[in-house]
Amino acid sequence: MVSPESARIAERVARAYTRAHGLAAVLEGATATEAGWRPVSGQPTIAEIVGEVVDRCAWLTRALAPPAHLAGPPLPTGPLTAQAWEELRTELARAFAACAEAVRGTDVSRWDEPVPGRPDRTWRELVDDLVVDAAHGAGQITVLRRWYATQDLAV
């Protein structure tokens, strides 16, 4: 039986992807060219931001419900093709769905336990960090997309 607390936490994870300003919404219509664009040295691309969130979701899913999450396609490197970008977006959706499911199935007694290897963090804090980082990534992506859109206007 799913505890109400685990269900609530799982809903927060799912909403980080699906809500109005979540990752799915801010990525809507983004092309591979846009996702692979790096405006300045050291600035992560949209694809790199997405890849990092995918990795975080996958790690958390494996940690909470091993081996529930099998590795998806490798994250793209080099020039981003339309196919690689579509696969990455698909993997993002799958990673969030798998993570929410792993969270939903987690026994409520684990939420306030320390994470092995990270005694300063509890499982609840790690999930909260994922949600915050996904929101931060969505904000970064929004800014990058606005910046990219102005490139035709640059002199």
Short mmCIF file of all heavy atoms in Angstrom, two decimals, residues 9 25 30 50 53-54 61 64 67 69 91 96 99 101-102 106 116 121 128 130 148:
data_model
loop_
_atom_site.label_atom_id
_atom_site.label_comp_id
_atom_site.label_asym_id
_atom_site.label_seq_id
_atom_site.Cartn_x
_atom_site.Cartn_y
_atom_site.Cartn_z
N ILE A 9 4.93 13.13 -2.06
CA ILE A 9 6.28 13.42 -2.53
C ILE A 9 6.42 13.03 -4.01
O ILE A 9 7.00 13.77 -4.80
CB ILE A 9 7.33 12.70 -1.65
CG1 ILE A 9 7.29 13.26 -0.22
CG2 ILE A 9 8.73 12.86 -2.24
CD1 ILE A 9 8.08 12.44 0.79
N ALA A 25 7.05 21.78 -20.38
CA ALA A 25 6.51 23.00 -20.98
C ALA A 25 7.61 23.89 -21.54
O ALA A 25 7.46 24.42 -22.66
CB ALA A 25 5.68 23.77 -19.95
N ALA A 30 11.39 23.28 -28.68
CA ALA A 30 12.84 23.50 -28.78
C ALA A 30 13.43 22.57 -29.82
O ALA A 30 13.16 21.37 -29.82
CB ALA A 30 13.52 23.29 -27.43
N VAL A 50 19.31 19.31 -19.49
CA VAL A 50 18.38 18.18 -19.52
C VAL A 50 19.10 16.89 -19.16
O VAL A 50 18.61 16.09 -18.36
CB VAL A 50 17.68 18.09 -20.89
CG1 VAL A 50 16.90 16.78 -21.02
CG2 VAL A 50 16.76 19.29 -21.11
N VAL A 53 19.66 16.56 -15.44
CA VAL A 53 18.42 16.23 -14.72
C VAL A 53 18.07 14.76 -14.94
O VAL A 53 17.65 14.07 -14.00
CB VAL A 53 17.26 17.16 -15.14
CG1 VAL A 53 15.96 16.72 -14.49
CG2 VAL A 53 17.58 18.61 -14.74
N VAL A 54 18.24 14.26 -16.16
CA VAL A 54 17.99 12.84 -16.44
C VAL A 54 18.88 11.98 -15.54
O VAL A 54 18.42 11.03 -14.92
CB VAL A 54 18.23 12.51 -17.93
CG1 VAL A 54 18.29 11.00 -18.15
CG2 VAL A 54 17.15 13.13 -18.79
N THR A 61 16.21 7.12 -8.74
CA THR A 61 15.34 5.97 -8.97
C THR A 61 16.05 4.67 -8.63
O THR A 61 15.50 3.81 -7.94
CB THR A 61 14.87 5.95 -10.44
OG1 THR A 61 14.16 7.16 -10.69
CG2 THR A 61 13.95 4.77 -10.72
N LEU A 64 16.48 4.34 -4.82
CA LEU A 64 15.26 4.06 -4.06
C LEU A 64 14.66 2.70 -4.39
O LEU A 64 14.07 2.06 -3.52
CB LEU A 64 14.20 5.14 -4.32
CG LEU A 64 14.46 6.49 -3.69
CD1 LEU A 64 13.43 7.51 -4.18
CD2 LEU A 64 14.43 6.39 -2.16
N PRO A 67 16.50 -2.79 -9.03
CA PRO A 67 16.99 -2.20 -10.26
C PRO A 67 15.84 -1.71 -11.12
O PRO A 67 15.75 -2.03 -12.31
CB PRO A 67 17.73 -3.35 -10.92
CG PRO A 67 16.91 -4.55 -10.55
CD PRO A 67 16.34 -4.23 -9.17
N HIS A 69 15.09 1.01 -12.57
CA HIS A 69 15.35 1.88 -13.71
C HIS A 69 16.55 1.36 -14.48
O HIS A 69 17.67 1.40 -14.00
CB HIS A 69 15.62 3.29 -13.20
CG HIS A 69 15.78 4.31 -14.26
ND1 HIS A 69 16.25 4.04 -15.51
CD2 HIS A 69 15.53 5.62 -14.26
CE1 HIS A 69 16.30 5.14 -16.22
NE2 HIS A 69 15.86 6.11 -15.47
N GLU A 91 13.79 10.43 -22.97
CA GLU A 91 14.43 9.89 -21.77
C GLU A 91 14.12 10.75 -20.54
O GLU A 91 13.93 10.23 -19.45
CB GLU A 91 15.94 9.77 -21.97
CG GLU A 91 16.69 9.21 -20.78
CD GLU A 91 16.29 7.80 -20.38
OE1 GLU A 91 15.58 7.10 -21.13
OE2 GLU A 91 16.69 7.38 -19.28
N PHE A 96 11.58 10.94 -15.30
CA PHE A 96 10.70 11.53 -14.28
C PHE A 96 9.58 10.58 -13.90
O PHE A 96 9.24 10.46 -12.72
CB PHE A 96 10.14 12.88 -14.75
CG PHE A 96 10.94 14.04 -14.25
CD1 PHE A 96 11.92 14.60 -15.04
CD2 PHE A 96 10.75 14.55 -12.98
CE1 PHE A 96 12.69 15.65 -14.59
CE2 PHE A 96 11.51 15.61 -12.50
CZ PHE A 96 12.48 16.16 -13.32
N CYS A 99 11.12 7.85 -11.73
CA CYS A 99 11.49 8.40 -10.43
C CYS A 99 10.24 8.60 -9.55
O CYS A 99 10.24 8.22 -8.38
CB CYS A 99 12.25 9.71 -10.60
SG CYS A 99 12.99 10.32 -9.08
N GLU A 101 7.49 7.00 -9.74
CA GLU A 101 7.00 5.67 -9.37
C GLU A 101 7.85 5.07 -8.25
O GLU A 101 7.33 4.48 -7.31
CB GLU A 101 7.00 4.75 -10.59
CG GLU A 101 6.29 3.45 -10.35
CD GLU A 101 4.83 3.61 -9.93
OE1 GLU A 101 4.16 4.55 -10.37
OE2 GLU A 101 4.36 2.79 -9.11
N ALA A 102 9.17 5.25 -8.32
CA ALA A 102 10.05 4.75 -7.25
C ALA A 102 9.76 5.47 -5.94
O ALA A 102 9.72 4.85 -4.88
CB ALA A 102 11.51 4.92 -7.65
N THR A 106 8.19 3.99 -2.15
CA THR A 106 9.14 4.01 -1.04
C THR A 106 8.39 4.01 0.29
O THR A 106 7.43 4.76 0.48
CB THR A 106 10.04 5.26 -1.14
OG1 THR A 106 10.78 5.16 -2.35
CG2 THR A 106 11.00 5.35 0.03
N PRO A 116 22.88 6.61 2.36
CA PRO A 116 24.21 5.99 2.49
C PRO A 116 25.26 6.77 1.69
O PRO A 116 25.04 7.15 0.55
CB PRO A 116 24.00 4.59 1.89
CG PRO A 116 22.53 4.33 2.07
CD PRO A 116 21.87 5.68 1.91
N ARG A 121 22.51 14.21 4.45
CA ARG A 121 21.28 14.38 3.66
C ARG A 121 20.34 13.20 3.92
O ARG A 121 20.76 12.06 3.99
CB ARG A 121 21.59 14.42 2.16
CG ARG A 121 22.67 15.38 1.73
CD ARG A 121 22.34 16.81 1.97
NE ARG A 121 21.32 17.22 1.03
CZ ARG A 121 20.55 18.27 1.20
NH1 ARG A 121 20.71 19.04 2.24
NH2 ARG A 121 19.65 18.61 0.33
N ASP A 128 13.68 16.53 -2.54
CA ASP A 128 13.42 17.98 -2.58
C ASP A 128 14.46 18.68 -3.46
O ASP A 128 14.13 19.57 -4.24
CB ASP A 128 13.45 18.59 -1.18
CG ASP A 128 12.22 18.26 -0.36
OD1 ASP A 128 11.22 17.78 -0.94
OD2 ASP A 128 12.25 18.48 0.87
N LEU A 130 16.07 17.43 -5.99
CA LEU A 130 15.76 17.14 -7.39
C LEU A 130 14.67 18.07 -7.91
O LEU A 130 14.79 18.63 -9.00
CB LEU A 130 15.33 15.68 -7.56
CG LEU A 130 14.81 15.32 -8.95
CD1 LEU A 130 15.90 15.43 -10.00
CD2 LEU A 130 14.19 13.93 -8.93
N TYR A 148 18.51 32.78 -27.18
CA TYR A 148 18.66 32.20 -28.51
C TYR A 148 17.75 32.91 -29.52
O TYR A 148 18.16 33.20 -30.64
CB TYR A 148 18.34 30.70 -28.47
CG TYR A 148 18.47 30.02 -29.80
CD1 TYR A 148 19.73 29.60 -30.26
CD2 TYR A 148 17.37 29.78 -30.59
CE1 TYR A 148 19.86 28.98 -31.49
CE2 TYR A 148 17.50 29.16 -31.83
CZ TYR A 148 18.74 28.77 -32.27
OH TYR A 148 18.87 28.15 -33.48
#
